[in-house]
Amino acid sequence: MPFFKYCGRSVFYIEYGTGCPLIFLHGNTASSRMFEPLMPLYAENFRCILIDFSGNGRSERVDHFPPDLWHDEAMQTIALAEHLQCGKANLAGTSGGAWAAVNAALERPDLFHTVTADSFDGRTLHDGFAGSLIAEREAAKADLQARQFYEWCQGADWERVVDLDTKALVKCAEERRSLFRKPLEALKVPVLLMGSREDRMCREDLELEYKEMAALLPCAEIQMFEQGGHPAIASNAGKAAEIIRDFIRKKQR
């Protein structure tokens, strides 16, 4: 299995298809496995690269996740792009992976053509995020379907991974840490902001937040689906793949 080194730890990645590189960034408590069922929709047009962020999935475990988790994951994404030496790549990040994707493009715009940022809260975490997250995670750990998803993504030690992730995000929220290390206005890479109006795991004013973000960005588009749960890239899989493909092709002309 392919790995690369990040801060001395082994980080797993896997590839599907050929063509222009498209790196998929998973959300918190998930792994690259969440994207595997979607690969038939993308592999015909792209060289799809799926990463398990450090401490997740098939990557080497960690003692803790940093509270600036999404910036650390951005740096892992940059390290992967440099390891692959694949030229400019596109990023598709969902939920927590969307913050990682935007941060990676802010840090190294020379490495990335486009960013698809799917199903995330935008510039800030919503009020009451920490309490809601703790309640959500405890309920999920008691739910058979959620437990099966965690184990599918993480393996037998899924509960430890989930607890470490919860601790890091609660600290991030309580300390009101900035979700982006650089001003959003500095982002020069074209961005597609994607979400669903039925997504109950994102902020209630998601579409308004996306519109306000787009007003700050020099090259941004918004795609909101009427239906579908979290994340939109999976709940609206076929249409989302078509939109992402067309967005990348348009921006690479």
Side-chain angles (χ1 to χ4, degrees):
M1 292 189 294
F3 292 88
F4 70 98
K5 288 291 185 179
Y6 175 76
C7 293
R9 296 186 297 273
S10 295
V11 179
F12 173 84
Y13 69 96
I14 190 169
E15 298 191 36
Y16 298 85
T18 59
C20 180
L22 174 57
I23 303 175
F24 289 82
L25 308 180
H26 65 79
N28 294 73
T29 70
S31 73
S32 61
R33 289 194 186 278
M34 69 169 288
F35 295 118
E36 290 178 356
L38 304 180
M39 286 301 97
L41 298 171
Y42 293 90
E44 186 176 338
N45 297 294
F46 299 103
R47 176 187 176 185
C48 301
I49 303 152
L50 285 55
I51 183 176
D52 284 348
F53 286 126
S54 182
N56 290 273
R58 286 161 278 188
S59 290
E60 187 175 340
R61 290 297 184 255
V62 297
D63 294 330
H64 68 280
F65 292 118
D68 291 326
L69 177 59
W70 296 313
H71 185 266
D72 186 71
E73 291 177 347
M75 301 310 292
Q76 294 177 49
T77 304
I78 291 167
L80 173 59
E82 292 179 329
H83 169 77
L84 293 171
Q85 297 184 329
C86 58
K88 274 197 170 185
N90 300 280
L91 297 175
T94 190
S95 194
W99 277 296
V102 173
N103 272 302
L106 280 167
E107 292 289 343
R108 291 292 303 276
D110 59 304
L111 290 177
F112 307 110
H113 275 300
T114 68
V115 169
T116 296
D118 171 53
S119 304
F120 76 124
D121 274 3
R123 295 167 294 177
T124 60
L125 300 174
H126 64 78
D127 292 339
F129 174 87
S132 297
L133 179 71
I134 292 171
E136 172 199 314
R137 294 282 171 85
E138 288 305 310
K141 288 196 290 184
D143 179 80
L144 178 60
Q145 187 173 357
R147 289 168 64 93
Q148 290 174 337
F149 174 78
Y150 286 147
E151 186 168 7
W152 177 56
C153 286
Q154 305 293 358
D157 64 342
W158 65 266
E159 190 164 6
R160 178 177 180 274
V161 177
V162 170
D163 287 345
L164 289 177
D165 184 87
T166 302
K167 184 177 180 180
L169 293 189
V170 167
K171 186 173 183 180
C172 176
E174 291 179 344
E175 294 179 355
R176 297 186 176 276
R177 291 178 177 245
S178 175
L179 305 183
F180 304 114
R181 287 281 184 91
K182 295 184 177 180
L184 199 59
E185 298 89 330
L187 184 60
K188 305 305 181 186
V189 176
V191 179
L192 173 62
L193 300 168
M194 181 180 290
S196 167
R197 293 187 175 92
E198 290 186 344
D199 189 345
R200 297 295 173 259
M201 293 183 70
C202 288
R203 64 196 307 155
E204 292 182 3
D205 61 343
L206 180 62
E207 188 168 10
L208 175 61
E209 173 65 11
Y210 279 0
K211 288 179 179 178
E212 291 181 355
M213 288 180 68
L216 299 173
L217 298 170
C219 191
E221 296 182 15
I222 298 171
Q223 173 62 50
M224 293 295 297
F225 296 102
E226 291 296 332
Q227 298 177 322
H230 187 84
I233 199 172
S235 63
N236 290 274
K239 188 62 177 176
E242 179 183 331
I243 290 167
I244 291 170
R245 181 197 65 204
D246 291 347
F247 177 74
I248 292 172
R249 286 179 175 173
K250 179 172 60 176
K251 298 304 178 184
Q252 287 188 324
R253 288 174 185 166

